[in-house]
Amino acid sequence: VQLVESGGGLVQPGGSLRLSCAASGFTFSSYAMSWVRQAPGKGLEWVSLTGSSGGATYYADSVKGRFTISRDNSKNTLYLQMNSLRVEDTAVYYCAKRGLGGSGSPNWFDPWGQGTLVTVSS
Amino acid sequence: EIVMTQSPVTLSVSPGESATLSCRASQSVSSNLAWYQQKPGQAPRLLIYGAYTRATGIPARFSGSGSGTEFTLTISSLQSEDFAVYYCQQYHNWPPLTFGGGTKVEIK
């Protein structure tokens, strides 16, 4: 099982960025997926989760209305579209696979990708 | 939102000794609690889920206990590779999923 994030970088406040997470080694379409971020020197903050089909999506209040999670099961890829970025969105963004497949499974995550750094600064 | 509080923030332990980390939830999360280990520059790794079930490949020296609002992660006979930051996470009542602030286990 492997998760590889990409798309991070430096962006100005108010800008946009799209993160991708390429999955391999498991049946991607059977698992809910999530984004979790970690600001420099800080703890973990859950950002968003999507169900296995992409029909159900959930967000932290801090990103609701600005970020959109989506997935393409034909490409085994998870996305996070980030708009109206703020300085406080600066963090390493991890994608993570729900530990168990199926709807209604508990939301613990295994494994996690290596992360991609998003820096929001002028 | 369920707030997760971990203590202590830093724990200094000598290799070979045991470490006891605590995680408290602001309301009951039943047994819906996971523990993760994170080493510098690495992604978090799942250790425990369901409050006490070790994830695949996790050594038996890691054990979890508790239910409701009080949880403990015990690491017996600490090895050099165990010095890291440990996070608890509740998945009982969400969104949002919430993590504790972390406990850093450092070499004494």
Side-chain angles (χ1 to χ4, degrees):
Chain A
V1 177
Q2 190 172 21
L3 300 170
V4 180
E5 300 94 335
S6 61
L10 175 64
V11 61
Q12 292 187 337
S16 298
L17 213 55
R18 188 177 85 155
L19 306 183
S20 299
C21 172
S24 60
F26 65 101
T27 304
F28 181 70
S29 60
S30 294
Y31 291 85
M33 297 290 295
S34 194
W35 289 97
V36 179
R37 68 184 180 183
Q38 186 170 37
K42 303 298 184 181
L44 301 171
E45 179 189 16
W46 173 77
V47 172
S48 184
L49 181 144
T50 180
S52 58
S53 68
T57 57
Y58 307 90
Y59 299 93
D61 285 346
S62 58
V63 306
K64 198 175 294 183
R66 300 187 299 122
F67 290 12
T68 302
I69 191 172
S70 63
R71 63 192 296 162
D72 186 335
N73 286 346
S74 68
K75 294 182 179 180
N76 289 348
T77 303
L78 176 72
Y79 303 101
L80 186 67
Q81 177 66 44
M82 304 185 296
N83 298 331
S84 303
L85 281 160
R86 305 168 180 168
V87 171
E88 55 266 33
D89 295 320
T90 295
V92 174
Y93 285 73
Y94 296 101
C95 70
K97 166 185 160 292
R98 183 192 271 173
L100 298 176
S103 61
S105 295
N107 287 311
W108 42 269
F109 301 110
D110 181 43
W112 299 50
Q114 87 289 348
T116 187
L117 176 62
V118 172
T119 303
V120 185
S121 175
S122 55
Chain B
E1 171 177 332
I2 297 179
V3 177
M4 307 301 293
T5 303
Q6 292 187 241
S7 61
V9 173
T10 304
L11 187 60
S12 297
V13 185
S14 299
E17 293 184 341
S18 65
T20 301
L21 289 65
S22 295
C23 175
R24 173 176 294 178
S26 60
Q27 62 189 78
S28 176
V29 299
S30 186
S31 295
N32 297 312
L33 185 106
W35 289 94
Y36 301 88
Q37 175 194 67
Q38 187 178 34
K39 298 179 182 179
Q42 295 186 18
R45 178 176 71 145
L46 177 71
L47 297 176
I48 301 282
Y49 60 91
Y52 58 83
T53 303
R54 278 189 303 277
T56 302
I58 301 303
R61 63 180 182 273
F62 291 91
S63 62
S65 63
S67 66
T69 62
E70 300 283 345
F71 300 88
T72 300
L73 176 69
T74 302
I75 314 170
S76 61
S77 189
L78 270 153
Q79 307 295 302
S80 57
E81 61 267 30
D82 300 334
F83 293 95
V85 180
Y86 294 83
Y87 294 95
C88 61
Q89 177 227 328
Q90 70 82 20
Y91 49 89
H92 180 70
N93 191 347
W94 69 284
L97 297 164
T98 51
F99 293 86
T103 291
K104 180 180 181 180
V105 178
E106 64 176 23
I107 300 175
K108 186 174 183 180

